[in-house]
Each structure stands twice: as C-alpha cells, then as structure tokens.
Amino acid sequence: MCGIVGYVGTSKSIEVLLGGLRRLEYRGYDSAGIAVIDENGDLQTRKRAGKLATLLGDLESNPLANGATGIGHTRWATHGGPTDGNAHPHLGDDGKLALIHNGIIENFSELKQELLSDGYVFDSETDTEVAAKLLGREYGRTKSLEQAFRNTVQRLEGAFTLLAVHRDEPGLVVGARRNSPLVIGLGDGENFLGSDVAAFVEFTRRAVAIGQDQMVAIRPDSVTVTDFLGAPVQADEFEVAWDASASEKGGWSSFMAKEITEGPDAVANTIRGRIVDGLVQLPDLDGIGDAALAGITRIVIVACGTASYSGILGKYAIESWSRVPVEVELAHEFRYREPVLDSTTLVISISQSGETMDTRMAVQYASEHGARVLSICNTQGATIPRESEAVIYTHAGPEVAVASTKAFLAQVAALYLFGLHLARVRGTLSDQVIAENCAELVAIPEKLTRVLESTDSIAQLAGWMADTRAVLFLGRHVGYPVALEGALKLKELAYIHAEGFAAGELKHGPIALIEPGQPVFVIVPSPIGQPELHKKVISNIKEIEARGARVLAIAEAGDAFVPPLADVVLPIPLAAPFFEPLLAVAPLQIFAMELATAKGLDVDQPRNLAKSVTVE
C-alpha cells in the first residue's frame, strides 16, 4: 500500500524523492519521510505524520542540505499509529543508516527480543525499526552494506520491500523484495528504485522489475540484481508505456474526474490491435496456446472488489460465448477453501496493479496445484503477470484515484476479448457472430463518450442527495454486477450505506428495506435486447414504487416504459446486452464522485483505503 522511492545520481536527490512521493500519494498513506546523504557526507532524515504537504512545509521552513543519494517513503500504519516517531525512515548503526519498508515483518517480535537482549533501545512501535537495528548490527560486523543487507533479509519473514542507505557508502542504495513490489528505473548517470514506475517516470521510462526474493544495489553508473543468497539474476528491461503527464490532473478537479473521462480511451486502447478483420487476435495468450485452451473444462476467475465485479460480467459473457463453466471467487477466500484444480482448469486473475496480495496468493496456489493461469493486469512488470503463464494487459494508463473507474472498463473489455477468442478456439460461435460482437465492443468508446457528455443532471441529482444516508441498487443479469459496483463506489467515496442486489432477490428479503423516500437505483435492461428481463425489472420498479421508493433508473434512451415509473431517468445509448454495462456503470461512478464532492470529501484518497493492497 505504501510508496517507496530511492535515488542515486546527481545532487538533486531531495527533488527526485519528493516528486516520486507525490506521484505515489495515490497508494494511500498517513505519514511521509525522506533520508538523504548530503553533500557533506552526513545522513539527514525528516519525517512527519499526515499528508505529504506536512512534510513539504517542514522542509520549506527548515531545509535539508541536498545530496546525490536518498530514499523516501509514504507509510500506511500497521505496527504503531501514524505518528512522527513511527514514520519512516528508521535508523540503525547509531544513526548512520536509514531504512524504509513496505509490508509486514511477521517475525519482528522475536527479532526485537533478540535485539533488546543485546542492549538495543527502540524509539518506535514499528516492525520496521527492528529491521533497521538488525541491519545496523550486521553492518557493524561486515562493514559492507550489501552483505549486511543480504544477511538481514534472509532472517525476515512476511511481506516486505526494503530500501536502505548508509552514510559510509554514499552513492549506493540497496533494496529487496518479498511479496511486495519493487521496480528499478534506469537513467543516464543516475538510477532509481520505486514501489511502482510512477516513482521515477518523470525521469526515465526504462524499467526493470525485481522478482521474488531478489535484492538490488544501485549506483549512479551500475545496477546489480541478485537473489537473497547472492547469486546473479538476469532481470528483463521494459519500457513504461506512459509518461509523467499521464499521472497529472491536467486541470481536472480530481484524478477521479479525469479518469472517468478517460474511460472511452481505456476501452479503445485495450482493444486496439486485438481486433483484426472483425476477429480477435490475442498473441498475449501464446504462453498457454490454443490447444490448451481447447481442452479447458472449467474457468475460475479470482479477484477482489471492483475487479471481481468485472469478473462476474466476464463470467456471463464467457459462458454464453464459449460454453465453458465459469466461477468467480474472491481471491482472499480462494485458497483457504482448498478448491479442486487440475490442468483442465484455467484460473484468470484480475488486478489493476498486478500486486494485490490476495490475488497473488490465489495465483500461486493455482499454479502449485496444476491449473493453467492467465492474468489480466494494467501494470507492466508487476508480480502477478510475471507469475502467470500468460497475460492480457489492459491499456488504461495510470489510475491514480483509489476507487477504480476506467480500469474496471478496461478489465471488462479484456475479458470480452478473451471470451470471443475462446469461442473461436472451441468453435462455439461462428466468425460472423464473433465479428458482430467485436463491432459492438469497438462501438463502445464513442457511445461512452456520449454518456460522459451528458452528466450535468447527475451532478445536480447528487447535490440534492448530499444528506442521503442509504442508497440501494438493483439489477438483473449483467445489470447485477453493475449494481454491486455502483454500491461499492458510493461506500468508498461518500461513506454512506449502499447495497447492490440482484433484482430477483428483492422479494426474498431486501424489499423490507423499502420505505417512503428510499433512493433506489435500478439498472434497466434494453426492451429490445432483453425483452423478458426488461418486463421483470419493470415489475420490480412497480413493487418498490408502490412502497414509496424514489426510483432512479438507468435505461436505454427511448425506453417508453421507464419514465412514467421513475423519478429520475439517466439515459444510455442502445447496445447489445453484454455491452450495456460498459455504458450503465459510468453514471453510477459519476454519481458517487459528485455525491462525495457535495459532502466535501476527498474523492481521490478516501479514508482508510489504499490503491494497491499489498498485504493479505
């Protein structure tokens, strides 16, 4: 969840570190700090609880001397509350060494007791300070930061990314990772480390991802990657597909507003080059191959939160098109129930960051038990794609706001591409039908743009509802996961009670929640595309209207049945059934954002949430 940046190069380390931390703010944090080996060879640190602005204000009033080597961190409190003392960096070797840490060190208690027995004194409640003191002790024995670091990480258990510097070895930053992301940025006379590429993309788009249980040492003119035992590792370089400007607001009121508007591009970029002559082409799947796909008898989609709702939409489409049974599992439940897997099972993981720990553990479990593994991910060089046999990268660009919007659309588009490809491999759809569905998908960006151009009424509606305490969402078939996503967005952003239901469940209990004035969003299927379901949803609307509910309908423009029954109608263009959700979800995303804004809340960084959940 936290942000990490490291730098060696010229005398601009403070600017690089603070710029990297600013671009990593989206990951969620409650304190920030930096450590710099300054031009005089002294190690200086500054850290403050609160947002990065607090640290910046401190540095402005009491500057640090700049230098060519440094590390920076934004912390999300785990061991110990968000205080100045618990913020990173933490010190070792009598203040000559600084260390920062993402993750959780599970055996910190026994290590701390060992150090206490040796006479060490601790200034914080964190597990991180234990690692810093342990590293300092090892440095005293080895007089080599690399060797001391290697000895230290071998003793740690849990999930961690660690970066460290030592006053006596300026021009060197060491890092290591286990179950937590770390990426190298390759520069000219300077090199970088980051918890993701946003940390350094302002300075270089050349990157190298570090693998599990690997360690890195960066100097201005060299990068060395080894395993924890010191054996050299061949690390592959890749180019970041976006530049620093893509992660800037660019005049928008929030990153979320910007990213919702980028939804059409996210879909267009994800399908670009993958639909050729009306048919799907996915060279991304070469790691599994058509022969293996033809033999798949079962698919399990593993994901968390918003990604799991994209998975439900994928389930409906893939089953319909390829006739392969599909299950959708919450990744954090998957391995604990000991599912039955074999080589004819395909596990599809979905993660925007590619570092979601719950999902990564599910992927590892699936691989260990003989299943084939495909990942859908938005982040190059991330861990989950590297640990999968094949990957379909979405091309949504950086998503900075914590609550996912455009990445959800790109994930659905990727799942639909896979479903149509699998249908061709299995021969369950004709080329003509596949081409018709591809044409529907290609048309989505333009239709979605039209939806986004007509949002004034949504902002007005949200303003009227700023004091609302609970909202319900109803949908059938592909409208059901849209209802779930609409409710989640409202919980995340506006901090009010919201629930999504399958509309058919209404009379099985939830109708008891309906009282006069209760707002209920209803996702109405097209009367042309799904006439039977349309009739049933209209009946649902009548049921709740009769009990005094305030009906807010998302319906096809021109649907004559809805306006007489609904208090508000948010129209969307006509689309085939499986493609309606890509249009229907946008008004719900906008509503959640506007309602949160009307309440004066931070839509980019909701309380208690982080963009990348890297602990299980």
Side-chain angles (χ1 to χ4, degrees):
M1 291 186 280
C2 318
I4 270 183
V5 57
Y7 175 74
V8 290
T10 66
S11 59
K12 62 180 182 182
S13 60
I14 292 178
E15 291 80 2
V16 173
L17 298 177
L18 295 177
L21 293 181
R22 179 175 55 81
R23 288 188 297 277
L24 294 172
E25 282 191 284
Y26 73 91
R27 295 175 70 89
Y29 69 102
D30 45 39
S31 62
I34 62 172
V36 176
I37 300 176
D38 66 23
E39 296 166 341
N40 300 316
D42 294 325
L43 177 66
Q44 299 190 69
T45 65
R46 189 68 51 80
K47 55 184 184 176
R48 292 294 303 272
K51 292 299 184 182
L52 185 59
T54 305
L55 176 65
L56 294 175
D58 191 319
L59 289 169
E60 185 174 342
S61 60
N62 186 18
L64 292 179
N66 220 327
T69 305
I71 54 178
H73 188 263
T74 51
R75 174 183 185 251
W76 186 267
T78 55
H79 297 69
T83 65
D84 289 354
N86 288 331
H88 300 198
H90 288 282
L91 302 178
D93 196 17
D94 296 325
K96 293 179 285 187
L97 172 153
L99 179 142
I100 56 179
H101 164 224
N102 283 357
I104 293 175
I105 298 170
E106 294 175 353
N107 63 333
F108 86 100
S109 183
E110 61 191 74
L111 293 172
K112 184 173 185 177
Q113 190 58 50
E114 175 187 318
L115 290 164
L116 286 169
S117 298
D118 275 358
Y120 284 84
V121 176
F122 289 84
D123 300 314
S124 77
E125 305 166 82
T126 67
D127 53 344
T128 305
E129 190 181 7
V130 174
K133 292 286 195 288
L134 191 65
L135 178 59
R137 187 176 69 175
E138 287 297 318
Y139 190 88
R141 295 169 177 172
T142 64
K143 300 303 179 184
S144 164
L145 183 58
E146 288 184 72
Q147 188 58 51
F149 197 68
R150 183 169 292 112
N151 294 348
T152 299
V153 296
Q154 290 181 53
R155 297 202 59 195
L156 304 181
E157 298 173 7
F160 54 81
T161 294
L162 299 170
L163 264 60
V165 294
H166 197 288
R167 184 194 69 184
D168 295 344
E169 298 189 48
L172 171 65
V173 179
V174 292
R177 63 148 297 182
R178 171 180 288 165
N179 299 327
S180 183
L182 183 60
V183 187
I184 306 166
L186 303 175
D188 183 9
E190 58 185 1
N191 288 302
F192 309 80
L193 291 170
S195 44
D196 70 42
V197 297
F200 52 73
V201 72
E202 179 181 353
F203 304 99
T204 180
R205 293 169 66 176
R206 296 174 58 208
V208 175
I210 301 172
Q212 175 76 340
D213 284 358
Q214 292 180 1
M215 175 179 151
V216 59
I218 61 168
R219 295 176 172 84
D221 56 357
S222 69
V223 171
T224 304
V225 182
T226 67
D227 63 21
F228 279 5
L229 297 177
V233 172
Q234 178 62 46
D236 295 327
E237 181 180 335
F238 65 92
E239 183 175 352
V240 181
W242 49 274
D243 59 26
S245 63
S247 63
E248 302 293 339
K249 286 183 186 177
W252 291 95
S253 60
S254 65
F255 279 110
M256 178 165 238
K258 174 178 181 281
E259 288 158 12
I260 289 174
T261 305
E262 291 171 342
D265 288 339
V267 175
N269 291 338
T270 296
I271 64 178
R272 181 172 291 116
R274 289 167 167 166
I275 296 177
V276 181
D277 296 329
L279 298 177
V280 176
Q281 302 289 333
L282 287 178
D284 322 59
L285 298 179
D286 288 349
I288 297 179
D290 288 355
L293 288 176
I296 292 298
T297 61
R298 171 174 166 247
I299 296 172
V300 182
I301 297 174
V302 292
C304 303
T306 286
S308 72
Y309 305 148
S310 72
I312 298 173
L313 289 169
K315 166 189 168 68
Y316 291 169
I318 293 168
E319 282 193 339
S320 176
W321 293 335
S322 72
R323 310 311 301 160
V324 176
V326 181
E327 306 163 28
V328 180
E329 296 243 12
L330 293 172
H332 40 79
E333 293 293 323
F334 178 67
R335 65 185 177 124
Y336 295 107
R337 67 173 188 81
E338 300 179 349
V340 177
L341 303 170
D342 59 28
S343 61
T344 67
T345 302
L346 175 66
V347 172
I348 302 177
S349 74
I350 309 173
S351 169
Q352 189 279 143
S353 68
E355 301 292 350
T356 309
M357 184 56 68
D358 309 291
T359 307
R360 185 178 165 221
M361 293 297 100
V363 165
Q364 284 188 354
Y365 183 94
S367 297
E368 290 166 358
H369 289 77
R372 312 305 298 264
V373 179
L374 164 69
S375 67
I376 292 175
C377 181
N378 190 45
T379 306
Q380 295 168 286
T383 302
I384 291 174
R386 295 204 315 274
E387 295 182 351
S388 304
E389 292 176 84
V391 55
I392 300 176
Y393 279 111
T394 55
H395 297 295
E399 190 178 62
V400 177
V402 168
S404 183
T405 52
K406 63 176 180 174
F408 171 82
L409 299 172
Q411 289 163 355
V412 175
L415 286 163
Y416 285 6
L417 289 171
F418 172 76
L420 293 170
H421 175 79
L422 186 61
R424 182 188 61 78
V425 169
R426 293 175 56 83
T428 51
L429 291 183
S430 68
D431 285 356
Q432 179 181 343
V433 173
I434 291 173
E436 290 169 357
N437 281 283
C438 286
E440 287 280 350
L441 188 52
V442 169
I444 286 297
E446 185 275 329
K447 292 180 179 179
L448 185 55
T449 298
R450 279 192 270 152
V451 174
L452 296 175
E453 289 173 346
S454 305
T455 62
D456 290 346
S457 62
I458 302 175
Q460 188 176 48
L461 175 65
W464 292 338
M465 294 176 62
D467 60 351
T468 298
R469 300 184 63 183
V471 181
L472 304 181
F473 296 77
L474 298 179
R476 281 184 181 263
H477 191 242
V478 293
Y480 170 48
V482 173
L484 294 174
E485 172 63 3
L488 178 61
K489 284 294 159 286
L490 206 52
K491 293 173 191 174
E492 289 177 315
L493 300 180
Y495 316 151
I496 64 174
H497 178 75
E499 291 295 330
F501 296 102
E505 280 290 291
L506 190 64
K507 62 184 73 66
H508 296 284
I511 200 168
L513 297 171
I514 303 300
E515 59 186 7
Q518 171 64 55
V520 182
F521 276 94
V522 183
I523 295 87
V524 183
S526 165
I528 298 173
Q530 295 177 294
E532 290 303 314
L533 277 179
H534 180 268
K535 292 176 185 176
K536 293 184 181 299
V537 172
I538 292 298
S539 296
N540 292 139
I541 292 176
K542 290 180 178 178
E543 288 173 336
I544 60 175
E545 182 200 32
R547 289 160 177 82
R550 188 176 186 211
V551 179
L552 315 168
I554 297 176
E556 175 199 324
D559 185 338
F561 297 91
V562 176
L565 302 174
D567 295 271
V568 175
V569 180
L570 302 175
I572 59 173
L574 175 64
F578 286 125
F579 302 92
E580 283 182 355
L582 292 162
L583 307 176
V585 75
L588 299 183
Q589 294 173 343
I590 295 168
F591 174 76
M593 177 184 69
E594 294 290 357
L595 185 59
T597 301
K599 295 178 68 173
L601 302 174
D602 186 342
V603 298
D604 287 337
Q605 296 181 34
R607 68 185 183 197
N608 303 330
L609 297 178
K611 184 66 176 175
S612 180
V613 182
T614 54
V615 293
E616 194 178 15

